[in-house]
Amino acid sequence: MTDVPTGARHVLILGGTTEARRLAARLADEPRLRVTSSLAGRVAEPRLPVGEVRVGGFGGTEGLARWLCEHQVDAVIDATHPFAGTISFYAARAAASVHVPLLALRRPGWVAGPGDRWHHTDSLAGAAALLPGLGERVFLTTGRMGLAAFAHLTGPWFLVRSVDAPEPPHPPRMEVLLDRGPFTVAGEAGLLRRHRIDVLVTKDSGGAATAAKLTAAREAGIPVVVVRRPPVPEGVPVAEDPAGAARWLRTVLG
């Protein structure tokens, strides 16, 4: 643990996103704060934020509540990926049980524009059900954890992009592209052409780092299946950027 001044308020950032890293950097120069960033440990070589970092799960709601008490946490900011729903609900229940204020930091979702051919669904299973009517060569950018939802589709060919290599079960006709954003429109357009992609599947993660594929799909006239993000737990306030999260901290910590 790094040296912190006596009486510093302890802030836990549930991280793993660009916004979480930016928030940790923003708070690093606050002398009255001690900031710990927590990463789930699902990525082999994560981009680490500045300051204290812990890696791994907490053991569910009770484990997280216990950690908050043992480490005297004064505020929690859930800056996990918009689709990391389980930890968000653990955090909401744990923070409420030990009376620690909690904020969700969520980047805004993507919004369709003129020329977009988007098909929305609430789940990966729903996305898989839509594919047979939309295309045969699929660019799948939903991450390595949900490929089982597409494993039964023997007809389409999939280009799967993820940071780490996926594990079975997965579609039988598949090529894996290991890469990490940010991506450019020109790069995404070239990828669509080279692989003759005729449908894109993505989660509404929002943000600029991976939005270029949507522009490339629009320009190519390719339909996009967009999986809606799960809701933030009821009653949890939301900030859309690190500046808003910092303002919330000033309010709740005084």
Side-chain angles (χ1 to χ4, degrees):
M1 186 183 76
T2 57
D3 292 334
V4 292
T6 302
R9 312 298 295 278
H10 192 184
V11 178
L12 173 65
I13 300 175
L14 302 175
T17 60
T18 300
E19 290 76 19
R21 292 190 294 274
R22 289 176 178 169
L23 178 61
R26 187 185 188 100
L27 300 179
D29 295 330
E30 292 280 349
R32 67 192 187 96
L33 296 181
R34 171 191 170 192
V35 179
T36 301
S37 295
S38 177
L39 307 181
R42 292 183 175 177
V43 177
E45 298 182 5
R47 293 172 176 168
L48 296 179
V50 299
E52 294 182 47
V53 178
R54 70 170 301 279
V55 179
F58 291 95
T61 299
E62 292 183 1
L64 178 52
R66 185 165 53 251
W67 198 94
L68 297 178
C69 291
E70 291 176 351
H71 293 81
Q72 298 180 323
V73 173
D74 296 289
V76 180
I77 297 179
D78 172 14
T80 55
H81 191 277
F83 283 85
T86 300
I87 183 60
S88 295
F89 282 91
Y90 285 165
R93 291 193 289 265
S97 70
V98 295
H99 308 290
V100 173
L102 168 69
L103 174 82
L105 173 54
R106 293 288 187 273
R107 68 187 79 146
W110 291 317
V111 178
D116 284 321
R117 298 169 57 196
W118 289 11
H119 302 263
H120 286 91
T121 182
D122 289 326
S123 66
L124 293 176
L130 289 173
L131 283 180
L134 294 176
E136 297 180 350
R137 296 185 65 83
V138 184
F139 185 21
L140 188 59
T141 65
T142 56
R144 66 186 178 93
M145 303 299 291
L147 295 188
F150 304 90
H152 66 287
L153 296 177
T154 58
W157 176 87
F158 290 84
L159 176 65
V160 175
R161 182 166 69 194
S162 63
V163 176
D164 294 320
E167 298 179 355
H170 50 61
R173 303 179 64 219
M174 179 184 78
E175 179 178 332
V176 176
L177 175 62
L178 298 182
D179 205 354
R180 189 200 309 252
F183 304 104
T184 66
V185 174
E188 298 290 66
L191 185 149
L192 296 180
R193 288 194 301 270
R194 286 194 305 275
H195 295 278
R196 307 192 312 280
I197 299 298
D198 56 16
V199 59
L200 165 67
V201 180
T202 186
K203 293 177 178 178
D204 182 16
S205 57
T210 59
K213 62 192 172 188
L214 301 172
T215 303
R218 180 194 313 131
E219 294 176 351
I222 292 173
V224 180
V225 177
V226 180
V227 181
R228 297 183 183 93
R229 59 177 62 178
V232 171
E234 186 176 356
V236 176
V238 178
E240 293 187 347
D241 54 36
R247 288 194 297 271
W248 174 84
L249 271 179
R250 287 193 293 271
T251 300
V252 299
L253 298 181

